[in-house]
Amino acid sequence: MNMPETILFIMMLVIVAIIVLAIILTFVPLGLWISALAAGVKIGIFNLIGMRLRRVIPSRIINPLIKATKAGLDISVDKLEAHYLAGGNVDRVINALIAAQRANIPLEFERAAAIDLAGRDVLQAVQMSVNPKVIETPKVSAVAKDGIEVMVKARVTVRANIDRLVGGAGEETILARVGEGIVTTVGSAESHKEVLENPDRISQTVLNKSLHAGTAFEILSIDIADVDVGRNIGAQLQIDQAEADKRIAQAKAEERRAMAVAKEQEMRAAVQEMRAKVVEAEAEIPKAIAAALREGKLGVMDYYNMKNIIADTQMRDSIARMGREDTSSEDKK
């Protein structure tokens, strides 16, 4: 083998060695294993390879384990890996355990893992146990007995109760219960002035109701931040009631008017009917006169005398109507 072929062969061996080493380092987290050994974490290289085979990212387990070991926590690799495979956040759980240990809060890994898997931020819960959180309610509108609206805004100081984080209600329930307590307290006041004079009465009444029962928090205090006077709801309701009564009365009056109009139309129809009967009866008079003339019961002179009387009566009626019209014209002038 000549010199150029020897150099080419050596270069190929070096390239193959580099590729094999890169594959090994990619599959075997050698650097992570060295870091774990340097931190005093007893973990075998085959355990890391097994994590790769189980589709577990070794750094997500080893780095929190190093952190827990340095903090003095005794947690096995299997528990961390099981929590990771269950979909939990291993790093957040370890941080919560370290924070609880520093604050002398009893918290076991199983409970912290259960809180994390329940969807709650276990680290934030531990921080809230040490440093209580202030929740500000929106403006709650309530009406006193005198009908005046009072709008109250409160600040609720709560502390997380780690024992009730799993299955306990959240902040929305606290806000809803506090709002209900404010409405009840203001509604029981005889006047809105009582609420304005003693706003602490609201917080005392609400605190006495034990609103944190069944929740994941413990209410430490309720402070009234703002109290405003709103509308006169009582007067508005009376106005609305009066308007409704007026509309009802108008509807009833319209109903009576419609009935009167209908009755009037009925009377007019009855009058027309009676007039028709009168006209029908009057139509029988000439027939009766003709029958009397044929039968000889009425003479011709009697008939003419009757016609003269009728003509005289019509003339007198015409003169009387003319006199009434002249009198009416003079009155108008």
Side-chain angles (χ1 to χ4, degrees):
M1 182 179 298
N2 53 17
M3 184 63 66
E5 293 179 353
T6 304
I7 295 174
L8 183 60
F9 179 73
I10 293 173
M11 290 179 62
M12 291 180 61
L13 288 178
V14 171
I15 293 172
V16 171
I18 292 174
I19 294 174
V20 172
L21 183 61
I23 294 173
I24 293 174
L25 291 178
T26 302
F27 192 76
V28 180
L30 188 60
L32 190 62
W33 177 65
I34 295 173
S35 299
L37 291 180
V41 177
K42 296 180 180 180
I43 187 73
I45 189 68
F46 293 104
N47 289 336
L48 298 178
I49 296 174
M51 290 181 188
R52 290 286 191 186
L53 296 175
R54 289 188 291 272
R55 297 181 180 275
V56 176
I57 301 175
S59 60
R60 299 286 181 86
I61 304 298
I62 300 304
N63 290 333
L65 183 60
I66 293 173
K67 194 187 304 183
T69 303
K70 289 299 182 181
L73 299 176
D74 185 15
I75 301 175
S76 65
V77 180
D78 294 335
K79 289 183 178 180
L80 296 180
E81 191 174 351
H83 185 64
Y84 177 83
L85 291 173
N89 191 322
V90 177
D91 191 62
R92 186 164 55 194
V93 170
I94 294 300
N95 290 337
L97 291 173
I98 295 173
Q101 183 191 40
R102 296 293 186 267
N104 293 325
I105 297 175
L107 179 62
E108 298 178 355
F109 175 80
E110 286 75 10
R111 179 171 292 277
I115 295 171
D116 184 64
L117 292 176
R120 296 186 182 273
D121 193 337
V122 61
L123 179 58
Q124 184 182 12
V126 173
Q127 292 173 348
M128 285 183 62
S129 297
V130 178
N131 185 20
K133 180 180 179 181
V134 177
I135 306 173
E136 186 170 312
T137 65
K139 277 194 175 182
V140 179
S141 176
V143 181
K145 289 184 179 180
D146 60 354
I148 304 299
E149 180 187 26
V150 179
M151 293 177 289
V152 182
K153 181 186 290 186
R155 290 189 177 94
V156 186
T157 305
V158 296
R159 179 171 57 196
N161 191 334
I162 296 178
D163 294 333
R164 290 203 300 262
L165 278 175
V166 178
E171 296 180 8
E172 292 80 6
T173 303
I174 293 290
L175 294 177
R177 291 182 180 180
V178 171
E180 179 184 356
I182 291 174
V183 172
T184 303
T185 305
V186 175
S188 62
E190 294 294 334
S191 172
H192 71 285
K193 297 180 180 179
E194 296 181 6
V195 181
L196 298 177
E197 292 173 357
N198 301 306
D200 57 335
R201 174 184 174 186
I202 299 175
S203 59
Q204 292 175 0
T205 304
V206 174
L207 278 175
N208 293 333
K209 291 180 177 294
S210 299
L211 301 180
H212 57 264
T215 66
F217 303 97
E218 178 184 355
I219 298 178
L220 300 180
S221 66
I222 298 177
D223 304 312
I224 304 302
D226 187 19
V227 180
D228 295 329
V229 178
R231 300 168 297 166
N232 191 336
I233 303 297
Q236 187 63 40
L237 291 176
Q238 291 178 358
I239 293 173
D240 294 341
Q241 185 63 43
E243 183 68 21
D245 293 341
K246 184 185 76 172
R247 291 179 180 178
I248 292 173
Q250 289 177 346
K252 291 182 178 179
E254 182 65 22
E255 182 181 358
R256 290 193 297 269
R257 188 191 69 82
M259 293 178 64
V261 171
K263 187 67 175 177
E264 181 183 2
Q265 295 296 329
E266 291 178 359
M267 295 302 294
R268 287 182 179 179
V271 169
Q272 293 297 330
E273 184 180 357
M274 296 302 294
R275 284 179 180 175
K277 290 181 180 180
V278 170
V279 172
E280 183 180 0
E282 288 178 349
E284 296 293 331
I285 293 174
K287 296 180 180 180
I289 293 173
L293 288 172
R294 284 195 301 268
E295 294 175 358
K297 295 180 180 179
L298 181 68
V300 176
M301 295 304 298
D302 294 331
Y303 175 73
Y304 281 112
N305 288 332
M306 182 184 68
K307 296 289 287 183
N308 290 332
I309 293 172
I310 293 173
D312 184 62
T313 303
Q314 290 177 351
M315 181 185 66
R316 291 175 183 275
D317 289 340
S318 299
I319 294 172
R321 281 196 297 271
M322 291 175 63
R324 285 196 297 269
E325 290 177 358
D326 293 339
T327 304
S328 299
S329 300
E330 291 177 358
D331 292 340
K332 290 181 180 178
K333 291 179 182 180

